[in-house]
Amino acid sequence: MVATTGARARPAGRVGLAVWVIGAALTGVGLFADLRPGVRGSGFGLAQAVSLVSGLAVLALGADLRSGGADRWLRTLTAVLGADRWKLTAVVLQLALVVFVAAWFQVESPAFATRVVPLAAVAFLLHHVLPPPHRLPFFNAVSLAAVVMVLGWVNALWLVGIVVGMAALVHLPASWPVRVLALMTAGLTLGFLRGNLDWTPFSPAIWPVLGSVLMFRLIVYAYDVRHASGPMPRSWSLAYFLMLPNVVFPLFPVIDFATFRRTYYDREPFAIYQRGLAWILRGLVHLLLYRAVYQNLTLAPEEVNSGARLVQYMVTTFLLYLRVSGTFHLVVGLLHLFGFRLPETHRFFYLSTSFTDFWRRINIYWKDFMMKVVFYPVYFPLRRRTSDTAALVLATMAVFLVTWLTHSYQWFWILGSWLLSWTDGLFWAGLGGLLIVNSLWEAKRGRHRTLPGTRRQGLADSVIAGFKAAAVFTTICGLWSMWGLPSLGDWFDLLSVPQFTVSDWAVVLGVPAVVALVAFVADFTGRRQGDVDGVARASDMAFYRPAVLTIAGLLVLAVAPSPWVVGRFGVRTREFAREMRLPELNMRDAERLTRGYYENLQGVSLQNSQLWELYAQRPAEGQDIWQSGVLQERSDFLARELKPLVGVFQRGRSFRTNRWGMRDRDYELAKPPGTYRVALLGQSYVAGDGVSDGETFDELVEDRIAEEDSAGARRVQILNFGVGSYSQLQQLLLLHDRVFEFQPDVVMVVGNPGDAQRLAIHLVQQVRRGVAPPWPVVQDVLTRAGVTRSVRETEALSRLAPFRDELLAWTLREIAAACRLRDVRPVWVYLSLPERGPAPAVIEAMRDTALAAGFHVLDWSDVYDGHDWATLRASPWDFHPNARGHELIAERLYHHLVADTTLGLLSAAQRPETP
């Protein structure tokens, strides 16, 4: 018998060795393939990550075969190929759709959509077929592979080393006070390095991820370690701190460590997987709704000039929180695929019927975190010394004080600066006060709670619930609108809408009515499934019904925006479908970012905008070039100008000016004989913010024409008078101040969709600093608009909004007239940044205005067509065109100079054909 067993073991051992060798080979390819010299695009990418995790799974199989552990593999594979095969097929189909939809809609970031999601899909299948003892170590390996895949080897090693080191301090063989002191010392050291990025040997890109991993999770981990009844397995510690999706989500839910461990495969696996997939679908829907609101409905504060627009601003500001709820659902849904049956992060928070209900439903993980580490430690000691009411009030105040401070703490770790503003503090104080009043009311009157499966509420109860939901929604919208503004004065300006018409009142009353109706229907039909504190029942449901619904939802997302569907509808529908597919800044934020409005991070909300994500990626030297000392102030209406003979080297690019204060090569003031001069007026992208000296499109065209001078073309000089954020009122002044002294043949004014807004902003800023415009026509507009020095900027911009187009048209007429008076040809060019442009009707209206003003009009709205915009930008956080973008612009300008008869550069015989 022994001999027979040994005889069977030897072949199994040889097979196990062969399998082990295959696994080692796959692992080696994953680890070292990117290190081979000469490999194009070398780096640890998706293919290497898949090879690595596949190799590790095969290594585990080989090791078990060699050690006689094949039985557990056979049991797992028998279940997979037997009773569970249809369930697994359904899950794999859903995962395939998730991979497609994530890539199709470019969900959140390329790293998530095209790397982490496909890796998670492959890893899920391998993870599921692994015997249970191998699953947690395998999850750790997948998480580490994702970190390396996204950050690269060097940054990943630093990140993992710091995280492991901080976690190890919790387990020091010392008293608890000593360990806390060690953690605080290490945390302060990291905080110092976060504020002094030049001291760190790794890329600043890891700080948002490092902060996300450590800033709150370390507190939870230390709390649970201190109260644990036994030793803490290190594999669980690694899984908790480096869980798979965290590397691409700096804004991450505060997952409780005890819950993380307790819910691991505590139900039937396919029930866990299916609930996770349903939540991934919910997260995708939330993110697409967020894009729809962000791109099409949001307003800037200065655009609020009626009651209807005030409601639109408040409601959309609150609706933008869909991005947080969407990403949190994606995170928790992905963790479900690896057996972590975590609870919901949000639940119908827009339909909350009280402020305590709102607190329980929105960001449930944060509420649980605050209850665990703040409320209970404050409440129970106080209750022994004071009354229940006093303990409740003081503990709740402590929760919201800590929430306010940790919000700024979170801002620091992700963005590198502290946020301690009045609006931020008043938001949390207001919400905390409402919660205290609501809690005391419920403590006195009792809170009605209906458990799932109990009697259905009556019609009157549902009507009351609808009115309560409308009241809570309206109040939260008001608080949220204040939270997103830089100052309390800006909020008061927002509320001081000039007038309310009948239609405005219809909107003001109609939005709460709609919320009340939706809440009534949801409450009456039982769609709100019990109290937020109840246990989710997804794992008790039949598997196939939710699977079919999830497949149907994913198919709708996959098919609806496809060309053969949207192509059957109008242009606006196709444009909307394109917006849904591109995770871009909307035109408003892109324009405000370009002109430096957000440079001090004011108005960049961590909860409701994509801007904070761009700032989180910015390196230490990422400040705007126009804030680096290249400008000098003026006391007149021009306000500022480029310093002459200044040189700056920033973000790897040189920026120098000539003796005349132009970002250009040097020119004589007098025009040389036989020279054709073009004076170029525009903003930062015309001045070449984003490229080095010699790479701007005007210099590229000059050099190209100079090289072709042997063909008989006259000498061409293109003088770049572009200055960052210059309005066309400033350009009008600049014409008379210096441009005409250079005797240009052509004045080319480069316009974009933000011109009217930029003009209004400059006008308001100068009025507020006591500088009156030098034109009676402009002063008359200010008088009619009621804009004076004492009016705050937001309110002044709102009052001036109806006059912006009038001012822009007058300014363009003045520029064109001044040019023609001097026999200079005025040319207006439409040129935007490499981003989503306005609707064609908007560009057409801008062209018509320029034509009516007397300009020759050139439309370059298609200059970036056929190219990926992301490849034409200076960086992910800088939308100015890079060197390749300037090459495309130069190509267009060159052909207009040598082929457009209205510019008059060359004779007809010398003009090449226009491509």
Side-chain angles (χ1 to χ4, degrees):
M1 183 68 177
V2 175
T4 303
T5 302
R8 292 178 178 176
R10 283 192 294 271
R14 287 194 292 269
V15 172
L17 178 60
V19 171
W20 191 91
V21 170
I22 294 173
L26 286 172
T27 304
V29 168
L31 287 173
F32 303 114
D34 62 302
L35 302 181
R36 290 178 298 164
V39 177
R40 183 180 179 183
S42 62
F44 190 86
L46 177 61
Q48 285 83 9
V50 169
S51 177
L52 174 62
V53 298
S54 301
L56 292 174
V58 176
L59 275 173
L61 172 60
D64 278 356
L65 290 176
R66 294 181 66 191
S67 62
D71 290 345
R72 55 188 181 185
W73 282 88
L74 290 174
R75 287 194 297 269
T76 302
L77 291 174
T78 300
V80 169
L81 299 175
D84 293 338
R85 64 183 182 276
W86 295 116
K87 289 184 177 180
L88 183 61
T89 301
V91 170
V92 170
L93 175 59
Q94 292 172 80
L95 266 178
L97 288 170
V98 167
V99 171
F100 176 80
V101 170
W104 178 257
F105 286 103
Q106 303 179 44
V107 173
E108 288 304 278
S109 67
F112 176 72
T114 61
R115 297 187 192 180
V116 172
V117 173
L119 175 63
V122 174
F124 158 77
L125 191 59
L126 297 170
H127 182 270
H128 178 68
V129 300
L130 284 169
H134 292 301
R135 287 178 176 175
L136 189 62
F138 182 76
F139 173 75
N140 289 333
V142 174
S143 299
L144 289 169
V147 172
V148 177
M149 181 175 62
V150 173
L151 297 178
W153 279 106
V154 174
N155 291 327
L157 289 173
W158 275 106
L159 175 71
V160 174
I162 293 171
V163 169
V164 170
M166 293 295 290
L169 293 178
V170 181
H171 298 278
L172 285 175
S175 63
W176 181 247
V178 172
R179 283 183 278 175
V180 171
L181 180 61
L183 284 169
M184 292 181 64
T185 302
L188 288 172
T189 302
L190 287 176
F192 173 79
L193 294 175
R194 180 67 177 102
N196 297 272
L197 300 180
D198 293 337
W199 292 46
T200 55
F202 47 79
S203 168
I206 79 167
W207 281 112
V209 180
L210 185 63
S212 176
V213 170
L214 292 178
M215 58 188 170
F216 300 130
R217 212 173 303 163
L218 192 63
I219 298 172
V220 177
Y221 182 74
Y223 182 96
D224 285 341
V225 167
R226 186 187 183 192
H227 295 88
S229 57
M232 192 71 65
R234 298 297 182 264
S235 58
W236 277 105
S237 303
L238 188 63
Y240 181 63
F241 282 106
L242 297 174
M243 59 185 76
L244 174 62
N246 202 166
V247 68
V248 285
F249 288 117
L251 195 61
F252 203 78
V254 185
I255 295 173
D256 184 71
F257 183 57
T259 306
F260 184 70
R261 293 185 64 193
R262 187 181 65 251
T263 59
Y264 185 62
Y265 279 113
D266 65 339
R267 301 286 176 89
E268 195 271 330
F270 283 99
I272 298 175
Y273 303 155
Q274 187 52 55
R275 185 167 75 164
L277 287 163
W279 286 359
I280 289 173
L281 173 61
R282 189 190 298 182
L284 291 171
V285 171
H286 283 198
L287 289 173
L288 294 180
L289 288 174
Y290 160 81
R291 285 188 191 175
V293 172
Y294 177 70
Q295 293 288 356
N296 298 280
L297 298 177
T298 54
L299 298 172
E302 59 268 19
E303 295 176 296
V304 177
N305 54 13
S306 67
R309 285 193 156 230
L310 176 64
V311 173
Q312 181 180 347
Y313 178 86
M314 289 184 167
V315 172
T316 55
T317 301
F318 186 27
L319 290 179
L320 291 178
Y321 186 78
L322 284 166
R323 189 182 190 200
V324 177
S325 64
T327 54
F328 281 18
H329 276 95
L330 286 182
V331 167
V332 176
L334 282 174
L335 289 172
H336 273 68
L337 297 178
F338 295 91
F340 300 98
R341 194 187 59 82
L342 296 165
E344 279 183 294
T345 64
H346 298 75
R347 186 181 295 182
F348 301 108
F349 55 92
Y350 286 126
L351 300 180
S352 302
T353 55
S354 69
F355 298 107
T356 52
D357 193 34
F358 177 77
W359 177 247
R360 285 187 292 267
R361 292 179 179 275
I362 190 169
N363 203 345
I364 298 169
Y365 287 17
W366 182 261
K367 180 264 297 180
D368 292 342
F369 172 61
M370 285 289 101
M371 296 293 287
K372 182 173 185 174
V373 302
V374 178
F375 185 85
Y376 292 140
V378 173
Y379 175 76
F380 287 113
L382 284 175
R383 193 175 68 168
R384 290 193 292 268
R385 297 181 178 89
T386 62
S387 65
D388 287 351
T389 299
L392 176 66
V393 171
L394 292 174
T396 305
M397 291 175 62
V399 165
F400 280 89
L401 176 62
V402 172
T403 297
W404 172 45
L405 295 175
T406 51
H407 182 251
S408 183
Y409 172 73
Q410 181 183 36
W411 188 278
F412 169 75
W413 282 109
I414 294 179
L415 297 180
S417 64
W418 292 93
L419 176 70
L420 291 172
S421 65
W422 278 105
T423 51
D424 194 49
L426 287 172
F427 171 80
W428 292 112
L431 186 58
L434 291 170
L435 189 64
I436 288 172
V437 172
N438 209 157
S439 299
L440 293 175
W441 174 268
E442 290 181 352
K444 181 179 180 181
R445 301 289 299 270
R447 178 163 65 95
H448 179 69
R449 303 178 70 169
T450 303
L451 296 176
T454 60
R455 68 175 180 84
R456 184 176 301 226
Q457 292 183 341
L459 179 63
D461 293 328
S462 295
V463 170
I464 293 172
F467 279 111
K468 287 181 176 179
V472 172
F473 182 85
T474 302
T475 305
I476 297 298
C477 282
L479 281 174
W480 215 279
S481 66
M482 176 189 67
W483 192 19
L485 292 172
S487 70
L488 193 59
D490 289 315
W491 189 55
F492 287 135
D493 288 343
L494 184 77
L495 299 179
S496 60
V497 178
Q499 60 181 358
F500 278 80
T501 64
V502 174
S503 59
D504 291 331
W505 281 113
V507 175
V508 170
L509 299 175
V511 170
V514 171
V515 174
L517 178 61
V518 173
F520 162 77
V521 172
D523 190 85
F524 189 71
T525 58
R527 291 177 184 171
R528 297 172 63 202
Q529 299 179 9
D531 187 78
V532 73
D533 296 323
V535 178
R537 299 185 298 154
S539 59
D540 298 326
M541 299 172 63
F543 173 82
Y544 290 105
R545 180 174 175 272
V548 169
L549 293 175
T550 304
I551 290 172
L554 290 169
L555 282 173
V556 169
L557 294 183
V559 172
S562 61
W564 67 271
V565 172
V566 298
R568 301 171 183 270
F569 298 92
V571 174
R572 185 66 193 98
T573 302
R574 295 196 294 270
E575 177 72 13
F576 179 78
R578 185 172 71 90
E579 291 171 358
M580 292 300 96
R581 289 193 56 202
L582 297 175
E584 293 282 336
L585 292 181
N586 62 22
M587 289 181 56
R588 183 177 302 102
D589 276 344
E591 165 62 23
R592 289 155 74 89
L593 179 67
T594 301
R595 64 181 171 85
Y597 183 85
Y598 291 116
E599 285 304 317
N600 60 357
L601 299 183
Q602 290 296 325
V604 183
S605 172
L606 188 64
Q607 307 255 20
N608 67 12
S609 178
Q610 294 180 306
L611 284 166
W612 70 267
E613 193 168 87
L614 293 180
Y615 278 98
Q617 301 174 54
R618 298 178 73 175
E621 65 275 14
Q623 71 170 352
D624 192 279
I625 188 68
W626 307 102
Q627 295 182 333
S628 61
V630 300
L631 293 173
Q632 61 187 9
E633 299 297 321
R634 290 178 52 139
S635 59
D636 60 5
F637 195 80
L638 195 62
R640 62 191 181 278
E641 62 186 356
L642 279 169
K643 294 178 181 178
L645 299 175
V646 68
V648 175
F649 189 79
Q650 190 178 48
R651 290 180 282 178
R653 297 188 286 265
S654 60
F655 186 103
R656 60 170 176 78
T657 61
N658 62 19
R659 55 179 157 159
W660 310 110
M662 299 155 53
R663 202 276 172 95
D664 209 336
R665 55 189 55 155
D666 195 50
Y667 301 100
E668 296 296 332
L669 183 62
K671 182 170 63 174
T675 299
Y676 185 86
R677 271 186 173 175
V678 178
L680 196 61
L681 300 178
Q683 292 85 43
S684 55
Y685 59 104
V686 174
D689 188 353
V691 296
S692 288
D693 299 320
E695 294 179 336
T696 57
F697 66 86
D698 59 294
E699 293 191 61
L700 294 176
V701 173
E702 269 193 35
D703 292 342
R704 179 174 178 180
I705 293 177
E707 291 175 2
E708 299 169 353
D709 191 57
S710 58
R714 287 186 294 174
R715 185 179 179 188
V716 175
Q717 293 179 348
I718 305 174
L719 282 60
N720 193 332
F721 291 93
V723 180
S725 299
Y726 251 28
S727 70
Q728 281 166 340
L729 280 175
Q730 290 165 289
Q731 293 169 12
L732 174 59
L733 282 176
L734 192 66
L735 274 176
H736 297 283
D737 185 72
R738 71 193 68 174
V739 172
F740 287 138
E741 294 182 1
F742 286 86
Q743 303 171 283
D745 297 284
V746 171
V747 167
M748 185 172 287
V749 177
V750 179
N752 68 30
D755 285 342
Q757 175 71 356
R758 184 182 290 106
L759 183 150
I761 290 170
H762 177 72
L763 182 56
V764 167
Q765 288 175 343
Q766 299 317 301
V767 170
R768 283 178 51 77
R769 78 182 184 106
V771 179
W775 307 281
V777 171
V778 178
Q779 184 60 57
D780 177 64
V781 171
L782 290 172
T783 302
R784 285 187 284 142
V787 175
T788 63
R789 185 176 184 180
S790 61
V791 180
R792 294 179 61 85
E793 182 173 339
T794 302
E795 176 64 18
L797 289 173
S798 178
R799 293 183 183 185
L800 202 57
F803 302 93
R804 292 186 313 200
D805 291 339
E806 175 187 338
L807 283 170
L808 179 61
W810 176 85
T811 306
L812 290 176
R813 288 197 301 271
E814 288 294 304
I815 292 174
C819 289
R820 295 193 182 280
L821 184 65
R822 294 163 176 79
D823 199 25
V824 177
R825 189 176 304 278
V827 176
W828 182 89
V829 179
Y830 175 83
L831 176 65
S832 63
L833 301 177
E835 59 177 340
R836 182 178 69 93
V842 175
I843 301 176
E844 182 66 29
M846 295 176 65
R847 291 200 303 261
D848 290 345
T849 300
L851 279 171
F855 282 90
H856 173 65
V857 172
L858 301 176
D859 183 357
W860 294 355
S861 57
D862 60 345
V863 71
Y864 307 118
D865 283 2
H867 298 269
D868 181 1
W869 296 334
T871 65
L872 302 179
R873 294 171 180 165
S875 69
W877 56 88
D878 186 346
F879 282 26
H880 292 93
N882 57 19
R884 178 55 182 151
H886 275 263
E887 289 174 3
L888 296 175
I889 301 170
E891 184 72 20
R892 185 64 56 90
L893 175 58
Y894 169 81
H895 285 289
H896 276 296
L897 278 172
V898 302
D900 193 329
T901 58
T902 61
L903 297 183
L905 173 60
L906 301 175
S907 65
Q910 295 170 324
R911 292 190 187 105
E913 294 184 3
T914 304

